[in-house]
Amino acid sequence: MRAGSHILLIISGGIAAFKALDLIRRLRERGATVTPVMTAAAGEFVTPLSVSALAGRQVYQDLFDLTAEAEMGHIELSRAADLIVVAPATANVMAKMAQGICDDLATTLLLATDKRVLIAPSMNVRMWDHAATQRNLAQLKADGVLVVGPTEGDMACGEYGPGRMAEPLEIVTAIDDALSSGPLKGKRIVVTSGPTHEPIDPVRYIANRSSGAQGTALAAALVALGAEVVFVTGPADVPPPAGVAVRKVETAQQMLKATQDALPADAVVCAAAVADWRVANAGTQKMKKMGTALPSLDFAENPDILATVSQMTDGRPALVVGFAAETEHVLDHATAKRARKGCDWIVANDVSPETGIMGGSDNEVTLITGDGPEHWPRMTKDQTARKLAARIAEALA
Ligand code: C5P
């Protein structure tokens, strides 16, 4: 299991809920972060205190808990995870999932998520064998839900047959498989992200307003599809996503070196806002006021990482993707940029202030490939990232 994998664990109300405690322990031993969610019925079998003590985090239980909602909305809770695991999954939860019913926090999260879901069913053998449960199971599988177990054996209710929840270690193996599968499994992708800082002297620098949000969302989306991601990031506002190999840099020159050191790769995506120039005469000591005379800065051009990688003659990645943020003539400028830099794709967007895109949570882009431009509707940066990651997966298939 990749250290830093983030599991949202939903514990529903079955006798096997006690095994969820062991599951949490095993997942944390392997470096995973576990965010626990309990249904009301789960609280009849295990206490929130033991669950939160083992997870080392707060347990989420109530859809209408204002503190939790203020800290992290339920939609965000369902999207921050790499995988959602329902263990145990009772017949009731399976039925609600199959129908899209959301009448508590757990089922609302399951309906709101766009992440993969793995269920570990647990119920009495007759409930498992019932036509309704088997119908729900078939529906869930058709919806892409992953299933581990149940196993056959003596049941808490005294009967014998299938319905026992899979053992925690079997669930861990199923989680491992789910996390390491996906269309980008075995592919190595380098993503540059964030701004660069170009020093003027040891305490001052030239920067830009890039938050790193789009590059971070893209790296997370690539990881979710199974890619091995090297995330080369300047000093961004948002933390790096889980599951990537982080290379922190400050300057454009460092970013180029870190990118080159991360090669060979199947794809490189340059989402960083790299400073075009650095200060050539940066001071080694803090610059002092010089009476009325003003300091003078000399500039040198920074290396263009996207162009350098695109124009490699030996070991060029199969796919090189750049971004073009423009305020006018977006398509013309972006198309020219694609040709000039020699990259395969350009993701172009209009960042004029009236679009609210710069610093906002939405994006509206045009993907320019060798086949021409393709306009995508306005959507969140996360959705844009997932759509782009899916396209990258298709291209590298
Ligand atoms: O030329 P411009 O900065 O508009 O190009 C934007 C694209 O080029 C982005 O993908 C950005 O990450 C990349 N770039 C780069 N190195 C630079 C400048 C831009 O990789 N020095």
Side-chain angles (χ1 to χ4, degrees):
M1 183 171 307
R2 221 185 262 121
S5 299
H6 186 168
I7 310 294
L8 184 78
L9 175 64
I10 295 177
I11 307 172
S12 69
I15 184 71
F18 76 94
K19 289 195 206 169
L21 298 176
D22 191 32
L23 176 62
I24 295 174
R25 196 171 61 82
R26 307 255 181 204
L27 287 170
R28 290 199 66 205
E29 271 170 9
R30 286 161 176 77
T33 303
V34 181
T35 300
V37 173
M38 291 171 68
T39 63
E44 303 292 331
F45 296 93
V46 284
T47 71
L49 189 60
S50 14
V51 172
S52 110
L54 279 167
R57 322 186 114 210
Q58 173 186 355
V59 179
Y60 294 86
Q61 290 176 281
D62 190 350
L63 185 55
F64 303 105
D65 177 345
L66 291 179
T67 327
E69 196 61 24
E71 276 170 15
M72 189 187 249
H74 64 267
I75 303 284
E76 190 45 40
L77 199 56
S78 72
R79 298 208 173 147
D82 298 310
L83 183 72
I84 301 197
V85 177
V86 190
T90 58
N92 183 44
V93 161
M94 285 176 61
K96 286 184 188 172
M97 284 174 74
Q99 294 303 318
I101 293 171
C102 45
D103 59 359
D104 63 3
L105 178 62
T107 46
T108 304
L109 292 173
L110 285 162
L111 199 65
T113 193
D114 51 4
K115 294 299 163 61
R116 280 180 307 160
V117 178
L118 169 74
I119 62 170
S122 163
M123 66 200 72
N124 165 275
V125 56
R126 306 218 182 283
M127 292 168 82
W128 176 252
D129 283 341
H130 196 283
T133 302
Q134 290 303 313
R135 222 170 29 237
N136 292 334
L137 178 68
Q139 182 61 56
L140 291 173
K141 285 185 174 169
D143 293 344
V145 171
L146 306 166
V147 184
V148 54
T151 56
E152 199 169 302
D154 288 323
M155 318 214 78
C157 49
E159 293 189 82
Y160 181 91
R164 265 166 60 139
M165 187 172 89
E167 293 303 318
L169 280 179
E170 287 172 67
I171 302 177
V172 168
T173 305
I175 292 173
D176 256 339
D177 287 348
L179 287 174
S180 61
S181 62
L184 285 173
K185 184 170 182 204
K187 302 291 181 193
R188 181 177 166 91
I189 302 183
V190 183
V191 177
T192 72
S193 182
T196 63
H197 284 183
E198 307 296 333
I200 296 172
D201 66 20
V203 296
R204 303 181 179 93
Y205 55 83
I206 295 175
N208 62 63
R209 295 187 195 281
S210 165
S211 65
Q214 186 64 82
T216 301
L218 180 65
L222 293 167
V223 169
L225 295 185
E228 175 197 351
V229 174
V230 182
F231 187 64
V232 182
T233 177
D237 293 343
V238 293
V244 298
V246 182
R247 304 280 180 270
K248 285 193 178 167
V249 298
E250 296 228 333
T251 68
Q253 287 176 305
Q254 292 166 354
M255 188 172 272
L256 173 65
K257 178 162 190 316
T259 304
Q260 288 173 324
D261 287 350
L263 298 178
D266 298 286
V268 172
V269 184
C270 293
V274 185
D276 290 322
W277 308 282
R278 66 178 177 278
V279 179
N281 59 339
T284 50
Q285 303 297 328
K286 184 180 172 193
M287 287 163 76
K288 294 290 184 197
K289 282 188 202 149
M290 303 173 288
T292 52
L294 296 174
S296 144
L297 300 180
D298 295 335
F299 287 95
E301 193 162 333
N302 265 332
D304 190 313
I305 301 162
L306 177 62
T308 307
V309 174
S310 299
Q311 291 163 26
M312 281 171 68
T313 46
D314 202 12
R316 182 193 190 276
L319 182 69
V320 184
V321 183
F323 281 71
E326 307 286 347
T327 53
E328 56 175 4
H329 310 302
V330 178
L331 271 191
D332 290 348
H333 285 170
T335 306
K337 192 169 289 182
R338 175 174 173 269
R340 193 170 64 243
K341 302 211 183 202
C343 58
D344 302 295
W345 297 354
I346 281 271
V347 184
N349 61 355
D350 185 344
V351 291
S352 321
E354 61 272 19
T355 63
I357 283 172
M358 198 90 158
S361 57
D362 282 358
N363 212 345
E364 183 172 340
V365 307
T366 300
L367 176 67
I368 304 174
T369 69
D371 296 333
E374 183 186 313
H375 184 76
W376 293 357
R378 192 177 176 113
M379 51 187 134
T380 65
K381 287 183 179 169
D382 278 345
Q383 287 168 328
T384 307
R386 282 192 288 274
K387 195 166 159 85
L388 185 59
R391 288 296 291 268
I392 291 173
E394 269 173 40
L396 295 182

